[in-house]
Amino acid sequence: MVAHRLAGAYPGGVAGVAVADDSTADELLGSVAAGFGVTRPQDLTGRPALLFVDGVDRAPAAVGAAMAELLKQVPRLRFLATGRQPTGLAEERVWPVIPLATPPVTLSAGTVAELVPYPAIGLLLERLGRVRRTRLAPQEIAPLAALVRHLGGLPLAIELAAARGRVLTIPEILGSYADRSPRAVVPLQVVVAESYRLLAPAEQRALRLLAMFRHRWSRASAEALLDTLDGELADVVHLLDRLVALGLLSVSGDHAVRFRLPAAVRDFAADQAAAEGELEDARKRHARLGPDTGSGYGVVP
């Protein structure tokens, strides 16, 4: 979404790379070149371009080295990087991402309009609007404020909760989290777990396998990996659509569509694979796959 909004301001193009735990500077430079459709980063035109870098904290030294090299080779290239720590470059400007503001407990709102000014409510309503057509019922207004407070204003947690609005009311979503975690704020892992529970056993098994991908991957890559399940999953496209609908999978690209599990979802699914005693087998299944340009192969350690 951000890329589409900013594309007009960067005639040299907009691209993105996802950092893996074992990414090297050379690998990242190669991914940047591939993202912009050139052989080498220095082949980029002199026009302004924008690069998204996701997951700096997974390999901060490699990211810092790659970005420093890019700044020398392509001075008109700009970066937007995300992660739990900065790159450490002198040119860097850091914007800490804090939880979204939530309505105070003391606010007794009787209408949605009274809650909309709070960013956490705005995000929840925007995401809910994507999955349900009906307006909020009066009895959902108070639980709406309680839900975003319970989620600590965390954007990803709010998005995952909103995806459950396809089948649950706001009080039901709130109740499901409260049952699992009596604490004031629900850990993100609990939110992911609740969405995971909505999947059928075969879909859960498939998600645990997909967690072996550490970058972006194609539908063909998913089909090749999940084909090893011997008919447990009938339709991979339906699975991918279901994961996207639940907020467990992100999708990008127009002509060459790529998928990626958010880090919190991937880590959770990998942990589940380990708990089920499947991790070693999942690694082997993944290792048997051949190269797929742009899929971002790389097994979970």
Side-chain angles (χ1 to χ4, degrees):
M1 182 181 296
V2 175
H4 285 295
R5 290 178 179 175
L6 297 177
Y10 293 92
V14 178
V17 296
V19 182
D21 296 328
D22 58 353
S23 290
T24 66
D26 286 341
E27 289 172 343
L28 291 172
L29 290 172
S31 297
V32 171
F36 283 107
V38 297
T39 304
R40 303 170 302 169
Q42 54 264 46
D43 294 332
L44 286 169
T45 67
R47 295 180 298 173
L50 177 65
L51 175 67
F52 290 93
V53 182
D54 181 35
V56 171
D57 52 288
R58 298 185 193 121
V63 173
M67 293 175 70
E69 184 65 24
L70 285 168
L71 284 172
K72 289 189 294 185
Q73 296 179 358
V74 193
R76 301 197 72 182
L77 179 63
R78 295 294 177 264
F79 305 92
L80 181 59
T82 65
R84 296 183 181 90
Q85 69 179 72
T87 65
L89 295 175
E91 300 86 350
E92 182 175 38
R93 296 177 62 185
V94 178
W95 284 279
V97 178
I98 61 176
L100 300 176
T102 62
V105 178
T106 54
L107 177 65
S108 180
T111 66
V112 174
E114 295 175 74
L115 297 176
V116 168
Y118 295 92
I121 293 290
L123 177 61
L124 179 57
L125 291 176
E126 192 271 329
R127 292 297 191 266
L128 274 175
R130 298 182 182 185
V131 299
R132 60 182 275 186
R133 296 180 180 277
T134 56
R135 300 179 63 179
L136 290 177
Q139 61 269 27
E140 292 184 287
I141 295 176
L144 188 71
L147 177 59
V148 294
R149 285 196 298 268
H150 207 55
L151 296 175
L154 294 174
L156 179 57
I158 291 171
E159 291 180 4
L160 289 170
R164 308 188 73 204
R166 289 177 181 271
V167 294
L168 299 177
T169 65
I170 297 298
E172 289 172 335
I173 298 173
L174 175 62
S176 68
Y177 294 143
D179 290 343
R180 291 290 301 278
S181 176
R183 290 178 288 180
V185 176
V186 180
L188 185 55
Q189 286 277 44
V190 171
V191 181
V192 176
E194 286 297 329
S195 296
Y196 178 78
R197 290 177 61 196
L198 295 177
L199 299 172
E203 294 172 330
Q204 293 178 346
R205 173 83 168 99
L207 180 62
R208 296 195 294 269
L209 260 182
L210 292 174
M212 298 303 104
F213 291 121
R214 290 199 294 181
H215 302 294
R216 297 191 182 277
W217 34 272
S218 66
R219 175 186 55 80
S221 302
E223 289 177 336
L225 181 63
L226 299 179
D227 187 57
T228 64
L229 291 179
D230 300 324
E232 290 182 36
L233 199 68
D235 187 347
V236 172
V237 173
H238 174 75
L239 168 73
L240 297 176
D241 182 64
R242 177 128 168 83
L243 294 177
V244 170
L246 288 174
L248 295 171
L249 182 65
S250 66
V251 58
S252 63
D254 297 319
H255 303 295
V257 176
R258 291 291 182 264
F259 302 92
R260 182 170 179 268
L261 296 176
V265 176
R266 191 198 71 184
D267 292 345
F268 174 86
D271 288 344
Q272 292 299 305
E276 295 288 338
E278 301 169 348
L279 190 56
E280 190 61 32
D281 178 66
R283 288 170 173 162
K284 290 178 179 178
R285 290 173 185 263
H286 178 275
R288 288 195 289 267
L289 295 179
D292 174 0
T293 302
S295 69
Y297 277 39
V299 70
V300 169

